[in-house]
Amino acid sequence: MKGALFDLDGVIVDTESQYSVFWGEQMRHYFPHQEGLEDLIKGQTLVQIYDRLFHGMEQVQQEITRKLDEFERNMSYDYVKGFESFILDLRKHGVKTAVITSSNLPKMENVYRKHPEFVSYFDRILTSEDFSKSKPDPDCYLKGAKSLDALPCDCVGFEDSFNGLKAVQASGMKVVGLYTTNSREDILPYCDKVLPHFEGVGYMDMLRLFDNQR
C-alpha cells in the first residue's frame, strides 16, 4: 500500500447533510412539483447538475452559483469521525496521501480557514481545476496516483458517492466506501470494504485489503 486517495465531502468532512439542505431549497423553489431531486443529484458535480436539470438556464445557473458560494463560505467543515487519527496512522507508516475532489479552489480556501492543519495531512490536493473529466470517469484517480508516484494497484481510494466509487473501481484501486451519504447496502457492490466512519480503523486494516481479506 503506497497511496491513499480521499474524496472530500462525505469522506474527509461531514458536509453531505448540509448540501442536502441547500439543494432541497433550490429544488423546491425551481421544481415545486417534483420531490426528492436533491437526492437524485448526490455525488454529481455542479456542471453535471446544471446539465441535467438547468440546461440552457444561464441566469438561473448564475444565481444558484452565487447562493452556493455564499452557503459554502458559512458551512461547517467538521471532520468525519476518526479521520484525523486514521490519516496520521497511514502517514506514520509511510503511505502517501492525496485529496481527489470535484470542489474548486475557492471552496478549498473555506476548508483551509476552518482547518489550518488540513494541508499538512496530504502530499497532494487535486481539485476540479486539475481534471478534464468528472467522476465516474477514473481520470481524477489516475492523475492522483501519478501525482503520488504510485501505481493504482498499490493505492486505496475512499469515496461515498456512486460516481466516486465507480471512478475508484475503474481506476484499478482498492475501493473503500463510506456510508455517510448512501446506505451500506447500496454501496456494497462497488466496494472492497465499507465503513461508517474512520474511528477504530488504521493502517493494518487497509493493508489487509491487499491480502484479499475483508
Side-chain angles (χ1 to χ4, degrees), residues 1 5 34 87 91 110 136 152 165 177 183 203 207-208 211:
M1 180 181 178
L5 296 88
Q34 298 184 51
I87 197 164
R91 292 177 67 82
N110 297 327
L165 293 166
S183 73
Y203 168 76
L207 200 60
R208 294 189 188 99
D211 295 326

Side-chain angles (χ1 to χ4, degrees), residues 128-199:
S128 61
E129 291 83 357
D130 297 303
F131 311 126
S132 58
K133 300 177 182 178
S134 301
K135 303 171 186 176
D137 192 280
D139 172 68
C140 54
Y141 277 97
L142 294 173
K143 286 183 176 176
K146 186 175 181 180
S147 76
L148 298 179
D149 194 27
L151 295 174
C153 62
D154 294 328
C155 295
V156 180
F158 297 83
E159 277 281 359
D160 63 311
S161 71
F162 292 113
N163 281 345
L165 293 166
K166 290 175 183 177
V168 178
Q169 195 174 51
S171 75
M173 298 182 187
K174 296 296 184 182
V175 188
V176 175
L178 280 88
Y179 46 100
T180 53
T181 303
N182 299 289
S183 73
R184 181 184 187 279
E185 291 73 20
D186 285 343
I187 68 170
L188 189 59
Y190 304 96
C191 303
D192 295 294
K193 187 177 183 66
V194 294
L195 299 171
H197 46 66
F198 294 103
E199 194 166 71

Side-chain angles (χ1 to χ4, degrees), residues 16-28 38 46 63-72 75:
E16 288 300 336
S17 60
Q18 297 173 75
Y19 279 116
S20 292
V21 171
F22 174 83
W23 285 112
E25 292 175 351
Q26 305 312 308
M27 296 309 171
R28 285 190 293 274
E38 63 272 21
L46 192 58
E63 177 63 14
I64 293 176
T65 299
R66 184 192 65 77
K67 291 179 180 178
L68 181 60
D69 289 343
E70 180 180 356
F71 184 81
E72 289 179 337
M75 277 175 57

